[in-house]
Amino acid sequence: MVKFLKAGKVVVILQGRYAGKKAVIVRNHDEGTKDRPYGYAVVAGVERYPLKVTRSMGKKKVAKRSKVKPFIKVINYNHMMPTRYALELEQIKGTISSETFKEPSQREDAKKRSRSCSRRDTTPARTSGSSPSSDS
């Protein structure tokens, strides 16, 4: 059978607290381990997405509505649905390891680092409002 759940694959979580949320596979374990005898993956995803921002909102409200809350979790393959999308995630791979889940403080540090990595990759470029192609 072809292994299609690889690192970088975007998945949708189907069961549990994060059901319906999108995540990215950071590490996959197809055969499982001694303490987890099933195929699973370590995923990093978005628990709370940013809200819509309008021009009339103040800086404080814009900052509050623009926050992203990430999560890191070990999830069984049966509880995730792969999408056709994949990401390049060199920075996130280095921040999350198997030791991340041993202590809550390490998990919090990994969440903060994954948030800063994802923010760097997804910040949209500011434009002046007009595009060169609309000047015809």
Side-chain angles (χ1 to χ4, degrees):
M1 188 163 114
V2 179
K3 306 288 186 206
F4 58 91
L5 290 172
K6 296 176 182 166
K9 189 72 149 169
V10 177
V11 295
V12 177
I13 308 300
L14 300 176
Q15 299 286 323
R17 178 179 177 180
Y18 303 110
K21 304 295 183 188
K22 295 176 194 76
V24 179
I25 295 176
V26 179
R27 286 209 163 79
N28 57 335
H29 302 274
D30 295 325
E31 304 302 321
T33 58
K34 191 174 184 180
D35 56 335
R36 290 192 165 106
Y38 50 85
Y40 68 93
V42 177
V43 298
V46 180
E47 182 177 349
R48 188 167 50 239
Y49 298 98
L51 299 170
K52 184 179 179 183
V53 174
T54 61
R55 190 177 293 175
S56 62
M57 292 180 187
K59 288 183 180 180
K60 189 175 179 182
K61 192 164 189 177
V62 168
K64 188 169 178 76
R65 292 175 71 96
S66 299
K67 287 185 182 171
V68 176
K69 186 176 181 184
F71 69 88
I72 299 169
K73 192 141 176 73
V74 175
I75 296 184
N76 189 332
Y77 280 163
N78 295 332
H79 300 160
M80 63 178 88
M81 179 178 66
T83 64
R84 64 181 178 178
Y85 301 105
L87 293 176
E88 305 271 334
L89 42 107
E90 298 303 319
Q91 295 107 357
I92 297 174
K93 270 188 184 178
T95 61
I96 300 170
S97 65
S98 59
E99 290 85 36
T100 304
F101 296 97
K102 295 199 187 310
E103 254 186 70
S105 61
Q106 291 177 337
R107 185 181 287 203
E108 292 298 322
D109 292 342
K111 279 186 197 177
K112 287 177 186 174
R113 285 181 288 191
S114 70
R115 180 187 300 148
S116 65
C117 291
S118 65
R119 186 177 296 148
R120 222 177 307 141
D121 294 340
T122 60
T123 49
R126 293 276 176 163
T127 59
S128 62
S130 62
S131 62
S133 61
S134 65
D135 292 333
S136 54

